[in-house]
Amino acid sequence: MSDSVISFADLGLPPTMLKALEALGYETPSPIQAAAIPALLGGHDIIGQAQTGTGKTAAFALPLLARIDPQRPGPQVLVLTPTRELAIQVAEAFQRYAHGMPGFHVVPIYGGQAMGQQLHQLRRGVHVVVGTPGRVMDHLNRETLSLANLSALVLDEADEMLRMGFIDDVQWILEHTPATRQTALFSATMPEAIRAVAQRHLKQPREIKIKAKTSTVEAVRQRYWQVGGLHKLDALTRILEVEEIDAVLIFVRTKTATVELADKLEARGYACAALNGDMNQAQREKTIEQLKNEELDIVIATDVAARGLDVPRISHVVNYDIPHDIEGYVHRIGRTGRAGRTGEAILFVAPREVRMLRAIERATRQPIEQMRAPTLHAIAGRRVAQFRQAVAEHLAHDDIDYFESLVREMAEENDVDPARIGAALAYMVQRERPLRVDGSTAPPPMPDAPAERPDRQERQERPARPARQEPPPRQRPAAMPSGPSWSSAVEQSEPEPRAPAAPRATPDIDPRATPLKDHPDVTMVRYRIDVGTAHGATPKHIVGAIANEAGIESRFIGRIDMFDEFTTVDLPSGMPNDLLQHMKKVRFGKFRFNMAPLGDDPGNDAAARDGSRPPRPRAPRSDAPAHRDGPGGRPPAGPGARRSFSKPPGKR
Ligand code: ADP
Ligand code: MG
């Protein structure tokens, strides 16, 4: 094709119509118009496949209008659309394009509108009818509409009509129109059922397929993850770990949620910032500036605060809370895929939000694919790749010359291969982010992905985790707990050394707590949580909350008994007091956990009296030793403890 711009006049449209187009401000035909108009003017059937907003209405309305004979009675063109809104829009478009055709009549007919008015307009004589399939069928059945003189029929948004269950009605209508008619079928997608309709009812159609133009939404790959409530944080940390992220914008619903989530991520070692309407302009600009110049990779925002945000390096948008409406969704995901780049949008969808997901899909006419929880292997694989790359990038660095001789010296001193020294260093560096997937080093399985859990057999065969001698670290990401040790997910202001003999806030052993099956050596304590089935909680919620908030792997969460008003759960002994205090404040919806060891729970007896469970004696203190890791097993904060992202350093 030549570079010269095609004009509407080149397409063979009559002068009156060109005038109307000029008045509307249309300068040049869109690609679908350039292809469809000559074909329809030439009397051919067509199949037009193009995304929404590509100008399909004019693509069929202009040529079909040009072929209308104003003197002939009865409707000459019928357009079927999936919704009444579209019927009205298309009818209005016809009216506008027919500006230079005096006496031209178009009528939209759709359900929900009084039949009488439509009848009146139909009787008055119309050239074009635009309607929804159901109402068109009604009129045909009542013989208030005759299509005997129909010369052209358009199926607009055929895939949408299929999706809405109108396809049989559409076929019925097709069968009740003259076989001599010209047919145009438009659809954003071409499912098999639509192809079948085309095959049956169109005559040697010209196929016109316009590649999706790269508009904001189209440049964004959209995925969703069915995860709700308390599991979302866990899902998010997995995403942060495995996705190829440059910068990520996370949307939540409220101002407080921006701060809360930022706190939780910081507690897990991610540098991030909140962006909300409570911040003044200068603060907001500073955060955005940091995001732009790569000082910051994670921003948690409200819709209002992120309005119009234009930072091309945002590679991911995470809809942590589902948006209120479709426009909100489109705006949010439009924050990525900017400046000709591609973007990723991930939507967290709770089971009760699935309807909203479908509504978004319908409105944006883009499928949103289900995301699979990253497997432990994927996470480990990515860590290994990042580790390799980071090391490789440092090999050429002048600064390592000194260390090279140091390593040689150490190898000689210890009479080991230098590789062994390298291995020790690698271990030190990666201790916090273990590179191998095994029972002692893997990140916690997602509650929503039970299939990813190693099976019991496998777990039992695993070697015990090496005991740790190092001084306790400040914190570690809760996404990677590494044993039944207690590590508070509560943000610590100060390093808090925990000697094995540190005073315990909680009883070590409740003799009624069942030992943990796979870890008989782990002593368990039974706790009570003031959230039960009456609050809508399920064991999954409880496990998720404890896993997320306490930073413990779900496999170290023991027996759970749920009652109407409360739940009991067995957890490894030695929970630090600060963590217990935090767990008291954790909420399931509006309901506070008020978690407490059963032994000190004053509500215990009352609950026992009301018969909802058997009475229990208070937990006696025990002298039995705590679990070997006790409360001291905090992994060290490696060099990357306050890491921003798990991305390879080379990307920065
Ligand atoms: P589609 O049916 O493909 O979703 P529409 O026919 O509704 O798209 O057109 C989308 C918008 O583009 C409308 O506002 C329409 O007026 C405008 N439009 C269509 N063709 C042109 C053109 N050639 N030049 C300028 N605007 C156009
Ligand atoms: Mg359209």
Side-chain angles (χ1 to χ4, degrees):
M1 249 178 71
S2 76
D3 282 348
S4 65
V5 182
I6 301 171
S7 70
F8 281 108
D10 296 335
L11 301 177
L13 291 170
T16 48
M17 214 161 271
L18 297 178
K19 258 198 182 148
L21 291 175
E22 191 154 349
L24 286 171
Y26 290 15
E27 285 174 338
T28 53
S30 69
I32 186 106
Q33 290 163 1
I37 290 171
L40 288 174
L41 280 175
H44 299 283
D45 282 5
I46 66 162
I47 297 175
Q49 191 181 348
Q51 292 300 320
T52 186
T54 46
K56 292 191 286 292
T57 317
F60 61 79
L62 295 172
L64 296 182
L65 272 173
R67 284 164 65 87
I68 278 176
D69 173 359
Q71 311 311 325
R72 239 169 78 193
Q76 296 168 48
V77 176
L78 171 66
V79 183
L80 293 176
T81 67
T83 65
R84 58 180 275 173
E85 287 75 22
L86 261 173
I88 294 167
Q89 268 179 40
V90 170
E92 285 170 353
F94 267 98
Q95 197 69 64
R96 278 198 299 271
Y97 301 143
H99 188 70
M101 297 168 62
F104 170 80
H105 288 295
V106 53
V107 57
I109 59 172
Y110 44 83
Q113 188 199 34
M115 224 42 178
Q117 195 192 342
Q118 294 175 356
L119 286 175
H120 174 74
Q121 290 183 289
L122 287 172
R123 264 189 236 114
R124 201 180 58 174
V126 296
H127 303 100
V128 176
V129 172
V130 186
T132 51
R135 187 50 74 98
V136 169
M137 263 175 81
D138 277 355
H139 279 290
L140 288 174
N141 278 325
R142 295 173 187 215
E143 297 183 354
T144 44
L145 172 67
S146 162
L147 298 178
N149 276 339
L150 198 74
S151 54
L153 193 151
V154 179
L155 306 178
D156 193 18
E157 313 226 359
D159 51 354
E160 196 59 17
M161 290 198 279
L162 172 71
R163 212 175 348 239
M164 293 174 71
F166 295 148
I167 206 69
D168 292 341
D169 296 356
V170 169
Q171 304 232 44
W172 186 92
I173 294 165
L174 280 162
E175 281 153 16
H176 288 76
T177 54
T180 51
R181 55 142 221 278
Q182 184 183 12
T183 312
L185 184 156
F186 289 91
S187 204
T189 58
M190 267 309 148
E192 207 30 62
I194 298 296
R195 285 238 164 262
V197 169
Q199 212 137 53
R200 229 173 114 200
H201 299 279
L202 273 60
K203 296 179 292 283
Q204 294 153 11
R206 304 243 165 125
E207 288 206 34
I208 299 162
K209 190 168 171 179
I210 304 298
K211 272 225 304 269
K213 64 170 180 167
T214 323
S215 77
T216 324
V217 177
E218 283 143 8
V220 177
R221 173 163 74 134
Q222 301 173 68
R223 288 173 290 169
Y224 74 93
W225 188 337
Q226 200 157 351
V227 60
L230 300 159
H231 299 319
K232 292 202 282 194
L233 185 58
D234 211 356
L236 178 62
T237 51
R238 283 215 174 185
I239 286 168
L240 296 180
E241 176 132 14
V242 293
E243 291 280 311
E244 287 273 356
I245 291 175
D246 195 0
V248 56
L249 187 61
I250 301 166
F251 281 98
V252 292
R253 229 167 242 173
T254 63
K255 291 182 276 195
T256 32
T258 60
V259 178
E260 277 169 19
L261 185 56
D263 286 349
K264 284 181 182 155
L265 286 178
E266 292 220 322
R268 282 158 177 75
Y270 292 100
C272 60
L275 187 69
N276 66 48
D278 278 352
M279 297 160 63
N280 64 38
Q281 187 63 23
Q283 287 171 316
R284 289 210 298 252
E285 275 168 16
K286 185 171 162 231
T287 300
I288 294 166
E289 206 43 50
Q290 287 177 324
L291 188 64
K292 277 188 179 154
N293 60 29
E294 309 195 5
E295 285 166 45
L296 191 62
D297 299 325
I298 309 176
V299 168
I300 302 123
T302 54
D303 292 288
V304 174
R307 193 161 290 160
L309 189 73
D310 186 13
V311 179
R313 66 181 285 263
I314 293 175
S315 59
H316 285 65
V317 165
V318 175
N319 289 277
Y320 192 84
D321 294 331
I322 201 163
H324 293 295
D325 51 30
I326 290 148
E327 292 76 52
Y329 177 80
V330 171
H331 179 267
R332 283 179 178 189
I333 71 168
R335 299 312 96 205
T336 182
R338 300 185 76 80
R341 307 186 194 198
T342 56
E344 301 280 340
I346 297 169
L347 173 65
F348 286 174
V349 183
R352 67 190 151 75
E353 293 163 346
V354 168
R355 281 182 57 190
M356 182 65 177
L357 168 72
R358 298 301 164 212
I360 291 171
E361 276 189 318
R362 271 200 305 278
T364 58
R365 301 208 182 88
Q366 308 266 334
I368 303 180
E369 59 186 276
Q370 181 156 21
M371 192 173 170
R372 295 206 34 89
T375 63
L376 300 180
H377 281 282
I379 291 176
R382 189 146 158 80
R383 287 184 189 171
V384 170
Q386 286 166 352
F387 173 76
R388 281 166 177 264
Q389 191 180 338
V391 172
E393 273 163 11
H394 283 87
L395 286 179
H397 217 288
D398 290 343
D399 293 350
I400 72 167
D401 293 351
Y402 165 74
F403 293 102
E404 188 170 350
S405 48
L406 190 60
V407 166
R408 275 191 216 290
E409 248 172 58
M410 288 165 69
E412 268 171 38
E413 268 166 35
N414 294 287
D415 194 21
V416 292
D417 193 281
R420 191 79 188 153
I421 304 284
L425 289 169
Y427 174 75
M428 282 163 62
V429 169
Q430 288 297 136
R431 190 160 32 201
E432 196 202 346
R433 302 182 68 225
L435 298 181
R436 275 194 317 181
V437 178
D438 70 30
S440 61
T441 55
M446 281 300 294
D448 283 351
E452 313 293 359
R453 291 172 192 230
D455 64 23
R456 270 162 208 282
Q457 187 68 34
E458 224 180 287
R459 273 191 241 158
Q460 271 162 354
E461 282 163 5
R462 263 183 217 123
R465 197 168 68 90
R468 292 207 170 103
Q469 308 294 322
E470 321 74 41
R474 204 168 130 253
Q475 61 177 213
R476 68 177 159 95
M480 302 157 221
S482 40
S485 61
W486 282 111
S487 121
S488 171
V490 184
E491 201 171 3
Q492 307 282 317
S493 45
E494 272 301 302
E496 201 186 320
R498 286 218 177 82
R504 301 219 164 82
T506 60
D508 282 326
I509 292 186
D510 175 345
R512 292 164 316 279
T514 41
L516 200 58
K517 251 204 202 128
D518 296 338
H519 300 270
D521 53 332
V522 178
T523 349
M524 303 297 274
V525 174
R526 186 157 293 165
Y527 289 85
R528 176 196 152 112
I529 295 167
D530 280 359
V531 169
T533 49
H535 306 112
T538 64
K540 230 168 139 179
H541 293 128
I542 302 293
V543 171
I546 293 172
N548 284 337
E549 298 292 338
I552 186 172
E553 285 181 65
S554 49
R555 67 200 169 96
F556 289 110
I557 299 172
R559 184 192 166 104
I560 295 180
D561 288 311
M562 295 202 69
F563 303 89
D564 283 356
E565 297 293 335
F566 66 93
T567 298
T568 63
V569 55
D570 293 350
L571 297 173
S573 65
M575 185 190 298
N577 192 37
D578 61 343
L579 181 55
L580 181 64
Q581 292 314 313
H582 173 71
M583 291 308 292
K584 280 188 198 296
K585 286 184 254 160
V586 167
R587 284 169 183 279
F588 174 76
K590 319 199 279 279
F591 309 102
R592 240 174 89 117
F593 261 39
N594 289 327
M595 185 157 119
L598 252 186
D600 339 328
D601 179 11
N604 189 18
D605 296 334
R609 268 196 309 277
D610 73 23
S612 52
R613 70 191 152 111
R616 284 178 170 159
R618 280 170 179 268
R621 281 285 189 179
S622 165
D623 292 333
H627 179 260
R628 58 188 154 78
D629 268 338
R634 288 180 166 238
R642 192 99 196 136
R643 75 184 186 282
S644 165
F645 254 121
S646 51
K647 70 178 154 195
K651 270 187 80 179
R652 319 214 97 225

